[in-house]
Amino acid sequence: MNAQPTTVGTKPAARRRRSGLFSDPLMGYLFTLPVIVSLSVFLIGPIIYAFFLSFQSFTFLDPEGAQFVGLDNYLKLFEDERFHRALFNTSIYSLGVIPVQVSIALVLALIVNSKIKGKTFFRVAYFLPTVTSTVAVSVMFLFLFKKDGLLNHFLGWFGIPARSWFDDVTFALPSIMVMAVWSTVGQFMVIYLAGLQDIPDDLYEAAQIDGANRWQQFWYITLPMLKPTTFFIVVMSIIGTFQVFDQMYVISGGDGGPLDATLTVVLYLYNKAFKDFEMGYASAIAFFLFCVILILTLIQRKFFGEEMRM
Amino acid sequence: MKRLLVRVLFYTIVIGYAVITVGPFLWSLFTAFKMTPDINTLWVPLDRLTLANFENIVLSDEYPFARWFWNSLIVAAIVTAGNVIFNSMAGYALARINFPGRRVLFLIVLAVMMVPGQVILVPMYMLLSELDWINTYAGLTVPFLTQGFGIFLMRQFFLSIPRDLEEAGFLDGLSRWGVFWRIVLPLSKPALAAQTIFMFMGNWNSFMWPNLLTTSEEMYTLPVGLNSLYGEYDAFWNHVLAGAMFMTIPVIIVFIIFQRHFIKGLATTGLK
Amino acid sequence: MRMRRWMSWISLVVAISFVLAGCGGGSEGASGDGGPVTITLGGAFSSPAEKKIVEKQVAAFEKENPDIKVKLHSITDDYLREMQTLIAAKDEPDVFYLDSMPAPQFMKMGVLEPLDEYIKKNNVDLSAYETSLVEAFQWEGKTYGIPKDYSTLALFYNKKMFEEAGVKPPKTWDELRNVAKKLTKGNQKGLALHASLDRYQPFLVQNGGQVVDKQGNPTLNHPANAEALQFITDLFIKDKVADTPANLGVEWNGDAFAEEKVAMVFEGAWMIPFLKEKAPDLEYGMAELPVKEKKNSNLAFTVAYVMSKNSEHKEEAFKLLQFLTSEKGQQYVVDGGLAMPSLKSMGEKFLDKYPEREAFVKAVEYAEPYQYGEKGNERVDAFNKAAESAILKKKPAKEALDEAQKQLK
């Protein structure tokens, strides 16, 4: 059989030029006007301001005393060992979390989109971790993962010695990664679920007539049709994981301990800005991080191909 | 036989994961009913459980609880409505309308998400203070009426909608505006439902901004109010968790209502 | 179409909400000419009980000064961050809390109004306050804040465990080690202690060490520091009579003590209300920290009231500041029974009321404020990391401190 995924997947791109995407500047600006205004005033303005700060020795306590220091803040990034540690931790975190997160989300979405009994219950159940606020989730996990907590009781049955997961130099970061996957999968599941609902049923019907089995349907119809969704999820995941802050802030009590094992870039930035009063340096860290995320996103776009043209 | 085995395996995974997600939640609920000296005891007999932690939140006469709830509701409703409308419009334009600057605009929408919010906290506050919007509903809502995440989400969905129906709409003499409201949006119910859930959830639980932007008790939202109630003794997990559980329930309700639209979204449009 | 009805509902909600928003917000600053002046008082209230104390103080102040209204601005999240934000927008309260640790930065940056002139004019006697507390808020000869209260560290001990082991509260380092040994059995440890300068500093200083020298340079790897840190580390590693709260599976020392996992902790007066709530039946005592030989040392955690340089009503603001730190104002601190009042005379009253807390008040005479200069936070971080690696990674104390010192350069 020859269930070419391209029938629907790429056709719009070809047709787009013919009819759909005709130029309509007035409508284009009208539709985007609220967003343009809101973005410029409330985000781009402050971002530009912060960008200027990154070239200064600056603290909000004494804005008049700011000094222009050129690229010093950026150069300092190369020597700052704690920053390197933070960048390393963040990368590990991101590399570990994204693939697991995305695959589990897809599997769960497929499950709750199938014809199982108690669909609504499972949807709510899988989504529960996402609705709970980060602080509450962190508290819950501190609870479950502590030395005499539920997890260690459970592991004890298999002869695994109890340890204090979040305070262990080796296990603190992986434990937070587990927590992050647990708490964000529901969100991406819902997006995948909406994506799955958008796939017209006649595609599957046509494939069935062609004799495609379930697996082939998944591989040649579902996955290609979910491409925009997957692209979206991966990009959001990169942004989210590289900016991870809340969990570390709560669990390590703000210092990224034990021994910097949970120090992330944004946590470091935050401490520099608000505890050490080095807003200029903190801004430089922010824009460095921005560049890292931007580059990863662009690579991502290449990976997903023309489909995601911008 | 093999089929049965597959089924068993399938349901083991389905139920197993549900245990993993619901378990900690139930555990927290259980803890929220514990008395303070029992917090760290693993198992507490049911007759030692208490409603006091919840009563402490709801019935406390010192704290204007109803007011906080109302504030949260208003703020979350406005922000959610604004996001659903504006993000959809922008997402549609970015996916479907060709206009100069479209690609740049999309890149900017993406790029602003990549700047860590912590770095613009202070400039944002300074701006809102200039506008005299601190401690007002305007300050709590207007800056948050659109969001990159939502715009991006909608754009991706519009990209995957077949265009045939839109074209039919144009042939019927509808304007671009008419096509968007009458054809595209009704087709996008699953995405709109997803967006509503996220925006409501995000705003309902949002703490950092409302906390910064409110200065008096009568303007607090629920998370800010609850936080002021706990103070420093955050080791009293039973209180914290009671608050968290209490806050979570409205979001679950919103989720249950809107997740139905994922299914209905297709069923009612006649796309089939 | 149904969709449209739905959308029009949303529009209606938006419209109504904006009308509401218009009414609800922006009803501020109704202080026209002649009317009462409004002063904002900013603080981070660590418990409802603390907030109540301040509310009572404010009520008493307003009664005495009918022409001044005080508005409380309670800051519940990260205090330092919010304060910097407010200051950047020039929205900071007229009078606010300031902790000793970040005080040097605030004083140096010119955010605060020097109080000397007002102090003189209103005849405030600074020598009536505990000296070590006042010094924490002085910078280059000027005074920027008046301390409101404080806590030092004391040895909390579990009476039952001490009786069972037949020991008395340790007075010296040697006794501490011996007593801890006797109190360690089964799952029970002698001492819970987290790896942090805010507990170790008294031991460093008792041994003749220092964290910052007179010129303000960090001296983390001072030989006496290393020796003291090694002594503490040995309690963990060699003698195995002490453990960190994390290893004991609890949040902080207080939990370990309340749950009777340990017999001793070094903590502040904040333990008292905590234990009352968390372990109401626990019998415990408080004693002064053990001493190496003769040199006493302790840490004073203190918060002062300071005045914003941007305040538009400085005279009134100082009136409030003065009231809050006066005998009359501090009576509420005494009655509240949380932290110790900063006025010496009120400290005596406090002791009459709570004689069991003698250890805290005695210690303030020889305590140093918890403060390490402008770069205080960085120094504490560096030290804590050294302490952590000494305890968790069994690194020799000297090596760990050398590394920390190097990092500060």
Side-chain angles (χ1 to χ4, degrees), chain B residues 92 158 161-170 172 174-189 269, chain C residues 1 3:
Chain B
Y92 179 71
F158 291 133
I161 291 184
R163 0 177 108 240
D164 315 26
L165 286 164
E166 272 173 82
E167 277 154 22
F170 286 122
D172 286 349
L174 284 176
S175 66
R176 173 65 75 175
W177 191 250
V179 166
F180 175 68
W181 286 100
R182 296 191 176 195
I183 295 177
V184 176
L185 278 191
L187 271 182
S188 322
K189 274 192 184 167
T269 53
Chain C
M1 255 180 136
M3 195 65 193

Side-chain angles (χ1 to χ4, degrees), chain A residues 202-270:
Chain A
D202 39 9
L203 288 180
Y204 291 108
E205 281 158 21
Q208 267 164 2
I209 293 168
D210 284 351
N213 64 24
R214 280 257 188 90
W215 176 250
Q216 284 167 325
Q217 286 178 28
F218 171 74
W219 196 253
Y220 292 112
I221 297 174
T222 312
L223 269 191
M225 287 301 285
L226 284 178
K227 230 175 162 187
T229 313
T230 307
F231 175 68
F232 172 77
I233 287 178
V234 173
V235 171
M236 290 319 298
S237 209
I238 291 176
I239 295 177
T241 50
F242 269 88
Q243 291 188 2
V244 61
F245 172 75
D246 290 356
Q247 288 92 338
M248 277 69 177
Y249 185 72
V250 176
I251 285 187
S252 74
D255 68 353
L259 287 172
D260 287 346
T262 61
L263 186 71
T264 64
V265 174
V266 178
L267 184 59
Y268 187 57
L269 172 167
Y270 185 89

Side-chain angles (χ1 to χ4, degrees), chain C residues 230-383:
Chain C
Q230 194 61 54
F231 167 75
I232 297 170
T233 314
D234 285 347
L235 293 178
F236 285 81
I237 297 170
K238 252 201 214 148
D239 305 326
K240 298 196 170 41
V241 296
D243 220 334
T244 59
N247 274 333
L248 293 163
V250 291
E251 287 297 307
W252 67 297
N253 296 332
D255 277 330
F257 190 73
E259 290 172 32
E260 304 198 60
K261 294 188 171 189
V262 296
M264 296 180 282
V265 291
F266 307 128
E267 283 294 331
W270 48 81
M271 276 285 275
I272 298 165
F274 172 80
L275 288 174
K276 204 163 151 196
E277 168 91 3
K278 178 108 195 231
D281 305 326
L282 185 76
E283 277 189 51
Y284 65 92
M286 290 164 273
E288 278 183 90
L289 296 185
V291 174
K292 192 184 182 199
E293 274 139 13
K294 286 218 172 70
K295 188 173 155 72
N296 271 316
S297 180
N298 208 312
L299 266 183
F301 301 89
T302 179
V303 172
Y305 282 114
V306 296
M307 194 202 297
S308 154
K309 197 160 199 173
N310 298 319
S311 169
E312 282 166 19
H313 306 288
K314 288 187 177 134
E315 294 295 338
E316 291 87 350
F318 189 80
K319 245 187 197 171
L320 172 64
L321 203 159
Q322 186 183 1
F323 179 85
L324 291 170
T325 50
S326 69
E327 289 204 355
K328 217 185 263 166
Q330 294 216 330
Q331 185 60 46
Y332 295 94
V333 177
V334 173
D335 294 342
L338 295 178
M340 274 63 70
S342 53
L343 273 171
K344 287 176 190 161
S345 56
M346 296 311 279
E348 281 157 27
K349 280 198 184 161
F350 188 87
L351 274 189
D352 290 343
K353 202 165 173 186
Y354 312 97
E356 73 282 2
R357 302 195 199 177
E358 193 188 8
F360 294 109
V361 180
K362 261 189 172 171
V364 75
E365 283 158 31
Y366 51 82
E368 293 175 30
Y370 185 49
Q371 186 179 62
Y372 305 99
E374 288 167 59
K375 299 253 170 218
N377 182 54
E378 257 177 44
R379 289 164 184 176
V380 172
D381 267 358
F383 180 91

Side-chain angles (χ1 to χ4, degrees), chain A residues 17-268:
Chain A
R17 250 151 250 137
R18 263 193 286 122
S19 57
L21 200 78
F22 62 86
S23 186
D24 194 347
L26 184 70
M27 273 299 163
Y29 295 127
L30 198 74
F31 271 74
T32 50
L33 185 69
V35 167
I36 293 177
V37 172
S38 166
L39 274 188
S40 340
V41 176
F42 295 112
L43 274 171
I44 298 176
I47 288 175
I48 292 175
Y49 182 83
F51 187 63
F52 278 116
L53 298 190
S54 75
F55 299 101
Q56 296 174 2
S57 155
F58 185 93
T59 159
F60 282 116
L61 292 185
D62 185 20
E64 283 85 25
Q67 278 170 341
F68 182 77
V69 294
L71 287 173
D72 278 8
N73 286 329
Y74 289 93
L75 294 175
K76 198 171 150 195
L77 290 174
F78 291 95
E79 288 162 15
D80 186 346
E81 278 172 31
R82 282 195 88 196
F83 172 70
H84 298 162
R85 179 68 203 255
L87 195 60
F88 175 77
N89 287 345
T90 310
S91 311
I92 295 285
Y93 175 84
S94 197
L95 271 175
V97 169
I98 295 174
V100 180
Q101 198 177 39
V102 175
S103 6
I104 297 183
L106 179 57
V107 171
L108 293 185
L110 287 169
I111 288 174
V112 296
N113 196 41
S114 68
K115 295 185 178 70
I116 59 162
K117 287 203 180 90
K119 205 159 29 181
T120 310
F121 167 77
F122 286 113
R123 284 184 186 177
V124 175
Y126 294 165
F127 194 67
L128 263 182
T130 310
V131 293
T132 318
S133 68
T134 317
V135 176
V137 169
S138 306
V139 170
M140 276 158 47
F141 271 73
L142 275 171
F143 229 59
L144 291 170
F145 277 47
K146 66 189 194 134
K147 201 163 184 188
D148 51 1
L150 217 49
L151 179 74
N152 279 324
H153 267 263
F154 179 71
L155 293 177
W157 297 345
F158 304 97
I160 299 169
R163 64 177 84 240
S164 191
W165 295 91
F166 287 123
D167 299 291
D168 187 297
V169 182
T170 322
F171 289 102
L173 190 64
S175 302
I176 295 182
M177 285 159 69
V178 169
M179 181 177 108
V181 169
W182 182 85
S183 64
T184 49
V185 154
Q187 168 164 10
F188 294 138
M189 174 195 82
V190 171
I191 298 173
Y192 263 135
L193 189 56
L196 285 172
Q197 305 271 339
D198 272 341
I199 302 176
D201 283 353
D202 39 9
L203 288 180
Y204 291 108
E205 281 158 21
Q208 267 164 2
I209 293 168
D210 284 351
N213 64 24
R214 280 257 188 90
W215 176 250
Q216 284 167 325
Q217 286 178 28
F218 171 74
W219 196 253
Y220 292 112
I221 297 174
T222 312
L223 269 191
M225 287 301 285
L226 284 178
K227 230 175 162 187
T229 313
T230 307
F231 175 68
F232 172 77
I233 287 178
V234 173
V235 171
M236 290 319 298
S237 209
I238 291 176
I239 295 177
T241 50
F242 269 88
Q243 291 188 2
V244 61
F245 172 75
D246 290 356
Q247 288 92 338
M248 277 69 177
Y249 185 72
V250 176
I251 285 187
S252 74
D255 68 353
L259 287 172
D260 287 346
T262 61
L263 186 71
T264 64
V265 174
V266 178
L267 184 59
Y268 187 57

Side-chain angles (χ1 to χ4, degrees), chain C residues 168-188:
Chain C
K168 287 208 173 97
K171 292 220 157 58
T172 65
W173 287 19
D174 289 336
E175 280 179 37
L176 174 67
R177 170 180 263 158
N178 289 331
V179 166
K181 275 182 188 162
K182 284 193 185 135
L183 288 162
T184 303
K185 56 180 175 199
N187 283 331
Q188 178 187 315

Side-chain angles (χ1 to χ4, degrees), chain C residues 87-88 95 104 123-124 137 210 223 229 252 286 291 339 389 398 403:
Chain C
I87 287 170
V95 178
N123 299 318
V124 178
F137 301 96
Q210 57 186 188
L229 180 59
W252 67 297
M286 290 164 273
V291 174
S389 56
K398 187 180 176 318
E403 240 168 66

